[in-house]
């Protein structure tokens, strides 16, 4: 997988200085989302790692990967100035501080329930008395906290752990790890359908120059179109169908 055409030589230094004022492109990576990143903090891999390195290569910058186990921690690294680049789901609660590209991957939020539960549709879950376990600060935590009319969100380090340990009526999560969880736990089943689309995008702070944000947006679109994102997903053992459509 090779690409790395650089921006115009006259523009690259200014873009690099704006995006990475320390001279190193610091990218926050969420190892808590196995679709986007795999491996260990010492040796991470996956689509977000590949994107960070490609963006750094285009600007002639070394890349430092800051690994976290939750999206909220990755977001906090951006907000605190410890990271220059992040890989998060687009959400209104984050857009006050993060300038996002269009999504490069679209994943689904789904519910797990006890096998004998009377909840059979996504709509059934939003009912009085239904408690839903979520990973605190995740895209689906933000979405459900904003959109549920009757059910209650219960936050924890991992949504399915909270669901199980507290005997909740439902657990929310990303389709791929939730499917694996259900396969290992026959007393649980997935509700058919999704409750949300999770649009994963590249982001930087809203304080960056418009030219820098435009460079990131154009780069992501090019990498979606030229097969870079699909190939990275394939190498990581992820479904190429997760590739987001053109912006």
């Amino acid at each position: 997988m090779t690409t790395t055409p650089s921006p115009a030589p006259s523009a690259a230094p200014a873009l690099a200085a704006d995006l990475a004022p320390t001279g190193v492109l610091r990218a926050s990576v969420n190892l808590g989302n196995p679709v986007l990143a795999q491996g260990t903090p010492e040796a991470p891999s996956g689509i977000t790692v590949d994107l960070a390195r490609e963006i750094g290569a285009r600007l002639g910058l070394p890349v430092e990967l800051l690994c976290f186990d939750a999206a909220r921690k990755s977001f906090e690294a951006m907000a605190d100035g410890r990271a220059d680049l992040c890989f998060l789901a687009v959400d209104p609660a984050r857009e006050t501080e993060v300038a996002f590209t269009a999504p490069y991957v679209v994943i689904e939020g789904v519910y797990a329930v006890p096998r004998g539960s009377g909840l059979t549709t996504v709509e059934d879950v939003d009912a009085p008395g239904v408690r839903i376990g979520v990973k605190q600060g995740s895209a689906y935590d933000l979405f459900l906290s904003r959109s549920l009319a009757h059910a209650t969100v219960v936050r924890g380090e991992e949504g399915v752990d909270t669901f199980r340990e507290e005997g909740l009526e439902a657990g929310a999560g990303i389709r791929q790890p939730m499917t694996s969880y259900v396969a290992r736990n026959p007393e649980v089943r997935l509700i058919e359908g999704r409750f949300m689309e999770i649009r994963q995008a590249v982001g930087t702070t809203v304080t960056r120059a418009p030219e820098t944000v435009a460079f990131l947006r154009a780069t992501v679109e090019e990498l979606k179109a030229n097969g870079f994102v699909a190939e990275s997903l394939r190498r990581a053992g992820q479904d190429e169908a997760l590739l987001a459509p053109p912006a």
Side-chain angles (χ1 to χ4, degrees):
M1 180 177 60
T2 57
T3 176
T4 322
S6 298
S10 60
L15 292 172
D18 184 53
L19 185 59
T22 66
V24 175
L25 182 61
R26 303 166 300 167
S28 62
V29 172
N30 175 21
L31 288 172
N33 185 330
V35 174
L36 305 183
Q38 304 87 40
T40 65
E42 295 74 28
S45 61
I47 179 60
T48 53
V49 173
D50 290 345
L51 285 171
R53 289 175 173 156
E54 177 65 16
I55 291 166
R58 290 183 176 219
L59 295 175
L61 289 167
V63 175
E64 178 185 1
L65 300 171
L66 309 174
C67 295
F68 303 94
D69 61 2
R72 73 178 186 279
K73 297 177 183 178
S74 183
F75 172 78
E76 288 164 0
M78 279 283 298
D80 295 345
R82 290 177 284 135
D84 307 306
L85 204 65
C86 65
F87 303 91
L88 296 168
V90 179
D91 188 273
R94 295 169 176 163
E95 288 181 302
T96 57
E97 297 187 62
V98 180
F100 285 107
T101 68
Y104 56 90
V105 158
V106 178
I107 55 184
E108 294 181 330
V110 298
Y111 291 127
V113 296
R115 184 158 294 279
S117 171
L119 303 174
T120 59
T121 70
V122 168
E123 292 74 22
D124 289 343
V125 176
D126 189 10
V130 174
R131 300 162 299 165
I132 306 168
V134 303
K135 185 168 187 171
Q136 183 178 0
S138 63
Y140 46 92
D141 174 11
L142 299 176
F143 174 81
L144 292 173
S145 296
R146 186 170 60 244
S147 62
L148 289 172
H150 305 290
T152 303
V153 168
V154 180
R155 298 176 181 86
E157 285 300 309
E158 292 293 341
V160 290
D161 292 344
T162 302
F163 160 62
R164 183 185 65 250
E165 292 165 4
E166 300 194 22
L168 305 182
E169 287 71 35
I174 296 164
R175 179 174 294 282
Q176 288 77 8
M178 291 289 274
T179 299
S180 298
Y181 174 80
V182 167
R184 298 191 307 271
N185 295 272
E187 72 279 7
V188 177
R189 61 177 170 83
L190 288 184
I191 287 182
E192 187 175 349
R194 64 174 186 259
F195 64 80
M196 72 175 297
E197 280 192 338
I198 303 172
R199 299 177 299 132
Q200 296 289 342
V202 180
T204 190
T205 61
V206 294
T207 59
R208 258 59 181 206
E211 295 80 5
T212 301
V213 177
F215 161 74
L216 292 174
R217 289 172 175 163
T219 299
V220 167
E221 289 309 300
E222 180 185 339
L223 296 178
K224 285 157 57 178
N226 69 10
F228 180 99
V229 174
E231 184 180 342
S232 176
L233 288 168
R234 184 167 57 249
R235 285 204 328 273
Q238 304 300 319
D239 189 348
E240 295 174 48
L242 296 171
L243 175 68

